[in-house]
Amino acid sequence: MSGTVVIGSQFGDEGKGKITDFLAEAADIVVRYQGGNNAGHTIVINEKTFKLNNLPSGVIQGKKVMIAAGVVLDPRNLEKEINAFEQEIDMIIDPRTHIIMPWHCVLDSAMEEASKNSIGTTKRGIGPCYADKALRKGIRFEDLINENRLKEKINEIFPEKNRALELVYSTPMNMTAEEIFNQYNELGKKFSKYLGDVSFEISNALDDGEKVLFEGAQGTFLDNDFGTYPFVTSSHPISGGVATGAGISINRIEKIIGVIKAYTTRVGEGPFPTELQGNMAELIRKQGNEYGTTTGRPRRVGLLDLPMMRTSVRFNGFTEWALTKLDVLRKIPLSIATSYKIGNKKIQFFPYSSDSLEKAEIEYKDFKPFDFEPENIVSYDDFPKEVKNYLEFIEKETKVPIKIISFGPDRKDTVLK
Ligand code: IMP
């Protein structure tokens, strides 16, 4: 048994792509098991940048990759991604994977525009696709690659979707059922070669002693159940999502790596207790290049939040941390949120209700600014004392060891602790 999962411990964009790429070298298979092309994983190798939405980050290392049942897949986006990728891709897609249809994207945008409390979604059709899956109105990969079934399903679902869009949002589809069928049928024919039972293949691979790396998308506090609902995504980025998303038992996972950015960012709306404004936010945003990979939106920026991280450890059971973007904090006066005070009560964890969060006063611990030259760092010992203090405080407070430290976008800017 050797399953490892890489999870975003905050609001997404922690640098999972880079960490997955780093770990993929030792893996045989890399699997995406939830989310869709709302994710954007950026990987830099020798100054060449790769941006991935659907493809698991293991493709860059030429590994076998799998898209599991818990993913929602937009085949139009996947086609672009495959075309842009110059190497041959060794991939299978689970027949149960749900397909994002054009009406999902139109509905996602229409709902966002019509709502007074918009979520700030990526407008990639993620929520509507997962909703149709739960409603049992979805089209799966097995349907996409079966011409007759695809036609039947589109003819059944399209009129209902189009009418609802027109009546509720005055935005009917700008494509006919026939146009959608033609486009998707073409893609289905192209992608039928990727069909494979991911659950079965992973299980066999693990039985044979192969190393399987599961690449999470989004982050813990965007989890549909345990995130800052309703400002969440529609899948389960917490570690339990691996079992339901990939069709494997939870006892096949050995390591659960939490990716933690040295500070916090969030794209889209929703609570963010340690959010910074003004010059400091601008400085970190600029130094950290904190703009969304998928939508280009500037990310909201804040300090590291230990009540959030302790809660993230509870939800995910992290066996270790991979800490990213340490370089961004160089020369910046630093603080870490250590607890919240709500009324007279001091709490060490992230409250489940947004109402409590709004009332929370945050207690911080200050740290001396640190500095280092990334090119001089070859091992953990090369970091100055101030950096070690910052990192060891996080370990102590979360009771999880930091094992990987990333201090630059390139694969080489990484050390093990
Ligand atoms: P959706 O997943 O497009 O429905 O968006 C729901 C919320 O999750 C919004 O706040 C998005 O900004 C956020 N979100 C979705 N995917 C990502 C991601 O990969 N990184 C960070 N935030 C994301």
Side-chain angles (χ1 to χ4, degrees):
M1 179 191 80
S2 190
T4 297
V5 52
V6 175
I7 301 279
S9 67
Q10 295 154 313
F11 294 113
D13 305 317
E14 297 89 354
K16 293 177 293 296
K18 177 182 165 172
I19 298 300
T20 306
D21 169 68
F22 181 76
L23 296 166
E25 195 169 4
D28 298 296
I29 298 171
V30 183
V31 183
R32 269 285 305 270
Y33 58 90
Q34 47 77 222
N37 60 319
N38 46 351
H41 292 164
T42 307
I43 297 156
V44 184
I45 297 153
N46 297 331
E47 288 166 21
K48 184 164 182 203
T49 301
F50 298 85
K51 287 187 194 284
L52 303 174
N53 294 125
N54 306 282
L55 292 173
S57 300
V59 285
I60 293 167
Q61 303 256 11
K63 301 289 168 168
K64 186 171 185 68
V65 296
M66 300 187 181
I67 295 181
V71 167
V72 287
L73 186 66
D74 187 329
R76 300 164 299 179
N77 185 263
L78 180 66
E79 186 190 37
K80 279 195 199 131
E81 206 174 349
I82 291 175
N83 289 345
F85 198 74
E86 286 146 17
Q87 300 156 35
E88 194 55 39
I89 299 172
D90 182 7
M91 173 166 70
I92 60 169
I93 301 174
D94 196 278
R96 309 165 186 90
T97 306
H98 276 254
I99 299 299
I100 297 177
M101 301 300 293
W103 50 79
H104 293 138
C105 302
V106 175
L107 180 59
D108 198 355
S109 297
M111 283 171 67
E112 282 288 281
E113 269 143 44
S115 170
K116 274 194 231 110
N117 285 315
S118 69
I119 292 163
T121 75
T122 59
K123 301 187 180 170
R124 299 293 193 268
I126 306 296
C129 185
Y130 276 116
D132 274 350
K133 165 174 159 168
L135 279 172
R136 291 139 302 172
K137 290 264 181 199
I139 293 181
R140 311 206 295 180
F141 186 63
E142 62 176 342
D143 306 318
L144 181 76
I145 60 177
N146 177 330
E147 182 164 344
N148 290 335
R149 194 121 53 92
L150 181 66
K151 186 176 262 173
E152 219 174 87
K153 286 216 152 192
I154 291 178
N155 286 339
E156 182 197 324
I157 298 168
F158 179 86
E160 185 186 322
K161 294 288 177 194
N162 196 30
R163 187 139 174 75
L165 280 167
E166 190 166 5
L167 286 177
V168 182
Y169 298 104
S170 312
T171 50
M173 296 291 300
N174 59 4
M175 288 174 89
T176 64
E178 197 185 355
E179 283 165 348
I180 295 173
F181 168 73
N182 289 339
Q183 185 184 30
Y184 274 63
N185 187 41
E186 193 73 23
L187 291 164
K189 282 191 183 139
K190 238 184 223 173
F191 293 158
S192 61
K193 65 179 179 190
Y194 295 126
L195 177 70
D197 186 334
V198 170
S199 155
F200 181 79
E201 296 295 334
I202 295 174
S203 193
N204 284 346
L206 288 170
D207 288 345
D208 291 345
E210 288 188 41
K211 291 193 168 65
V212 183
L213 186 60
F214 296 90
E215 177 180 17
Q218 290 83 48
T220 295
F221 292 90
L222 294 177
D223 185 274
N224 195 248
D225 283 314
F226 295 100
T228 52
Y229 193 88
F231 302 101
V232 293
T233 191
S234 303
S235 66
H236 295 287
I238 62 170
S239 62
V242 178
T244 52
I248 53 147
S249 163
I250 44 177
N251 65 12
R252 309 225 63 165
I253 300 296
E254 207 169 22
K255 263 193 198 174
I256 305 173
I257 302 179
V259 185
I260 177 174
K261 202 183 283 200
Y263 48 97
T264 312
T265 60
R266 174 165 204 161
V267 239
E269 304 306 319
F272 188 169
T274 63
E275 184 167 14
L276 294 167
Q277 308 288 349
N279 290 345
M280 179 85 149
E282 201 39 55
L283 185 66
I284 297 180
R285 187 176 300 117
K286 216 166 140 212
Q287 286 192 186
N289 192 23
E290 296 295 354
Y291 297 89
T293 310
T294 305
T295 57
R297 290 179 287 176
R299 294 178 185 144
R300 298 158 65 195
V301 172
L303 298 167
L304 195 65
D305 184 335
L306 287 175
M308 237 180 107
M309 292 302 93
R310 294 184 196 107
T311 311
S312 196
V313 172
R314 162 151 52 91
F315 292 150
N316 291 292
F318 296 132
T319 54
E320 59 190 80
W321 291 120
L323 184 131
T324 59
K325 294 202 140 177
L326 188 61
D327 55 307
V328 174
L329 298 184
R330 283 175 298 162
K331 299 187 191 148
I332 293 182
L334 285 175
S335 311
I336 294 184
T338 51
S339 55
Y340 300 159
K341 220 171 128 201
I342 301 175
N344 292 328
K345 226 169 138 192
K346 194 162 165 158
I347 58 169
Q348 303 290 331
F349 291 94
F350 200 74
Y352 60 81
S353 114
S354 300
D355 295 346
S356 315
L357 263 184
E358 272 169 27
K359 290 183 213 129
E361 262 175 63
I362 302 171
E363 300 190 338
Y364 289 97
K365 176 177 165 63
D366 297 332
F367 286 81
K368 280 205 190 115
F370 54 69
D371 195 14
F372 60 88
E373 287 304 323
E375 46 282 17
N376 295 341
I377 307 292
V378 182
S379 76
Y380 181 69
D381 289 340
D382 299 327
F383 284 118
K385 192 170 86 256
E386 292 78 14
V387 170
K388 290 179 182 164
N389 286 345
Y390 189 75
L391 300 181
E392 285 162 21
F393 184 72
I394 297 169
E395 290 182 311
K396 183 170 121 287
E397 291 291 320
T398 58
K399 302 190 177 73
V400 175
I402 297 173
K403 292 277 179 74
I404 302 171
I405 301 163
S406 159
F407 47 91
D410 205 289
R411 197 186 270 169
K412 66 176 166 36
D413 303 323
T414 318
V415 290
L416 297 177
K417 177 169 176 290

